[in-house]
Amino acid sequence: MALYINQTGKLKEVKEKPFKLEKDIQKVFEENLSAIMGLVLVKSEFTIKNKRIDTLAYDPQASAFIIIEYKRDKNISVVDQGFTYLSLMLENKADFIVEYNESLRQNMKREDVDWSQTRVAFVSKNFTENQVQATNFKDIAIELWEVKQFDNDT
């Protein structure tokens, strides 16, 4: 779908400008995490049990941790990676609380987190039809966020 901007009554097409690196998507998202998703950044590049989580965030409204993973292009493994990270989080709750407390200089306790609200969000320029279908189930803890940038800094 083409995108146009109105320049004094004349429409001008705005071309998509692909992200060069996953890190570029991550940087934009982390710098604007509150505005985009209403989340608080806990830690960038959080490593636990030999797994590297791109972004660990906290949702103050849901009292829950959110893991965010970035993909520069379509990737066939997002649903299984999402469930792996959910399992990792729920099996290592104390590590996530310690990271929150150390990074944000807070005193969160285990009972302060609603673990049933934890989720994984994938951010990519697009997803496969199967991935979209797989996340259409009610109450699934995996979200897909499509992101694009354009040559006019949009």
Side-chain angles (χ1 to χ4, degrees):
M1 175 170 77
L3 179 68
Y4 297 90
I5 57 171
N6 187 347
Q7 290 187 324
T8 62
K10 199 157 191 139
L11 294 180
K12 179 184 178 217
E13 185 174 1
V14 181
K15 299 287 185 195
E16 185 177 343
K17 183 171 92 178
F19 289 97
K20 290 181 182 164
L21 303 170
E22 240 176 58
K23 272 284 199 207
D24 298 334
I25 300 171
Q26 184 173 358
K27 183 175 189 247
V28 168
F29 243 73
E30 286 183 350
E31 289 176 0
N32 298 283
L33 202 51
S34 179
I36 296 170
M37 298 177 80
L39 303 177
V40 175
L41 177 66
V42 175
K43 177 89 174 191
S44 184
E45 307 296 329
F46 176 56
T47 302
I48 181 167
K49 306 285 185 201
N50 296 325
K51 301 276 187 221
R52 186 192 49 78
I53 293 168
D54 291 339
T55 301
L56 176 60
Y58 184 76
D59 182 342
Q61 285 203 307
S63 300
F65 286 103
I66 313 302
I67 292 173
I68 305 172
E69 287 294 310
Y70 306 94
K71 304 293 181 195
R72 192 176 63 81
D73 246 328
K74 282 185 184 176
N75 186 303
I76 59 168
S77 67
V78 298
V79 175
D80 57 338
Q81 184 182 13
F83 283 122
T84 298
Y85 281 157
L86 281 172
S87 175
L88 183 70
M89 186 186 323
L90 295 174
E91 291 171 1
N92 299 281
K93 295 174 183 175
D95 295 298
F96 285 81
I97 291 170
V98 167
E99 189 59 50
Y100 177 93
N101 287 339
E102 289 179 356
S103 294
L104 301 179
R105 301 184 193 280
Q106 298 289 320
N107 192 21
M108 175 186 281
K109 294 179 176 44
R110 197 176 357 212
E111 60 270 9
D112 295 337
V113 179
D114 183 352
W115 296 101
S116 70
Q117 297 300 309
T118 59
R119 60 193 190 273
V120 176
F122 288 94
V123 179
S124 178
K125 78 174 211 176
N126 52 24
F127 295 96
T128 68
E129 187 177 322
N130 287 342
Q131 290 164 342
V132 173
Q133 287 291 336
T135 58
N136 277 342
F137 287 109
K138 187 178 182 240
D139 298 329
I140 192 167
I142 296 174
E143 299 175 358
L144 304 179
W145 288 69
E146 285 192 11
V147 62
K148 296 186 185 332
Q149 68 179 353
F150 298 90
D151 60 13
N152 68 339
D153 292 329
T154 301

